[in-house]
Amino acid sequence: MPSKFINKLRPKKKKDKDKHRGSMTSLAETQTQTPSEVETRKEYIEASILSKVNLDPLNEKDDSNTFKSNIENYIGTVKVPVGAVQVQVNGSHANGKYTVPLATTETSLVGTCNRGCQLINMCGGVESVVIKKQVQSAPIFHFESIRLAVKFNEWLGLPATFESVKTNAIAVVEEAVLVKLEHSVHGNCVYSRWYFDTGEAVGQNISTYATKEAMESILKEAPVQPSSWDLDVGLARNRQAATSLMIDGRGVYVTGEVVCPKEKVEEILHVSAEKLASFSRESRTWQLISHTAGSTYQSARVIAAILVASGLDAAAVVESHVGISDMKLTKNGDLRVIVTLPSLMIGTTGGGTKLPSQQACLQIIDLPEEKSREAFAEVVLAAVLGGEIGMCAAMISHHFVNKKKRTESETPSTSLPNGNSVIEEDKAGEAAAEKLNGDATPSEQVNGDSAPGEVKEETKKEDKKDQSN
């Protein structure tokens, strides 16, 4: 009979499926990635989703014509493995259990995220809401004197000017709806920031193009003309991790929380709710001292993996990861976990979202057609919240270090061990596997019912017996 270690490498039997429904934990312990196991893992994705999605593009070899509008100097493609977690979302736009694809080569990312999502699902899901969505362009205007700059600034602040900009922007790009216009004077320059609602698209290119075309049109109406003007000098914070993003946001501003009973926290994470709340307080203190933009733990890793999987610009993780992660105790001693992401640069149309593999990943998420961008933001937030929980628990319990040691030297798994360290157990298990595969000498063969930890003892007894003879 195979050892317990060998059994751990096999997919769980179908009878165990319902026990971990939605978390995929039973398939994510210490398994290799064989085709049969991958297929078994897919069973944990809701059948209703799989019936709608063609996963073939994830393994297709596409020709250069597929990517001609997304890349210059094309020479080929790079394959990135895709894992998935499931998380319950109770949001304003996303409601239900969503499967979230994560494209990454970083071991332990999917595992830590999955572990947190398992706790979230057991606690009823993440309550989330989208506060607003807006993306900015920031043109600057140069004048011959400060007086001309002041006169132009006054004109830019008129309601009639705002309406003119809004009308001209929509005429050029239908999705670009101007919602706010800020401006100020600095010497002979006027700095401005134009806020657009860009529908279901991320909107950076849309807002930039709309700003240029609208500005060229309305300058004809201006009382004074700038000597020159630049489309953006950085005030829009495009691909910049700025602390000001916490105030007015960029992209989609979304926030959410989950309250986890302390008993479930200890059952799933093997750490106390008290310890997690204490760790959160200490982390915020040192992040403040370090002058970090935001105070999350691994939001960048989760967001980057989702961006890559869904065909969005991976560089958008720079501003998207800026946020707040907070864990505190309720009056009953339960754990309240809150995450706010004020500048989530995501969308469901445009860019690489139309490419075959990326389109398949978006279909797996199965977002509603109406307000899909807002729903996407709530799903991303829930996955990030799961990642925050899993990472903090792993750091406190030291599972993260053990996990990294094991996965970097062996086959990567998709979840952290639920309990004590398994490094020693795996070493013994490998020895048992070699013996069962016929690589050991007869004197080293062990009983198939032995646990990995019993292998060395059995071998020692037989060696002593041989020496005495």
Side-chain angles (χ1 to χ4, degrees), residues 10-12 16-17 20 23-29 31 44:
R10 292 178 174 172
K12 299 294 182 181
D16 294 329
K17 180 177 175 181
H20 301 281
S23 69
M24 290 186 277
T25 299
S26 62
L27 292 171
E29 289 300 326
Q31 298 175 348
Y44 282 74

Side-chain angles (χ1 to χ4, degrees), residues 89-266:
V89 184
N90 308 317
S92 302
H93 305 281
N95 282 280
K97 187 172 288 182
Y98 291 84
T99 300
V100 187
L102 301 167
T104 181
T105 57
E106 179 67 13
T107 56
S108 80
L109 169 58
V110 178
T112 53
C113 186
N114 183 70
R115 196 179 184 193
C117 288
Q118 181 187 7
L119 177 63
I120 289 171
N121 295 340
M122 292 181 67
C123 299
V126 176
E127 301 290 331
S128 59
V129 62
V130 169
I131 305 299
K132 57 186 174 183
K133 58 175 185 175
Q134 57 191 16
V135 65
Q136 302 91 356
S137 287
I140 177 175
F141 306 89
H142 306 274
F143 295 87
E144 295 298 330
S145 69
I146 190 171
R147 294 186 182 280
L148 293 176
V150 170
K151 191 169 184 178
F152 182 85
N153 186 64
E154 290 173 349
W155 172 79
L156 205 56
L158 295 175
T161 304
F162 177 88
E163 290 302 323
S164 181
V165 172
K166 184 175 181 179
T167 301
N168 280 277
I170 293 177
V172 176
V173 185
E174 187 178 348
E175 295 83 0
V177 180
L178 187 70
V179 294
K180 186 167 66 171
L181 200 161
E182 294 179 341
H183 47 91
S184 59
V185 178
H186 175 63
N188 68 325
C189 299
V190 175
Y191 290 83
S192 64
R193 190 150 60 189
W194 305 29
Y195 293 75
F196 290 92
D197 182 341
T198 55
E200 306 305 320
V202 177
Q204 183 56 57
N205 293 335
I206 290 176
S207 64
T208 301
Y209 181 60
T211 298
K212 177 182 178 296
E213 297 297 322
M215 200 67 248
E216 289 178 346
S217 297
I218 69 164
L219 277 178
K220 300 171 186 176
E221 308 168 8
V224 293
Q225 294 297 309
S227 55
S228 65
W229 64 284
D230 302 311
L231 195 54
D232 200 319
V233 290
L235 196 58
R237 300 153 301 178
N238 182 23
R239 308 302 180 258
Q240 296 177 357
T243 53
S244 62
L245 291 168
M246 297 301 306
I247 300 173
D248 64 346
R250 173 175 167 80
V252 183
Y253 189 125
V254 61
T255 185
E257 68 172 15
V258 62
V259 177
C260 308
K262 53 189 175 184
E263 297 82 9
K264 292 191 181 297
V265 172
E266 294 193 18

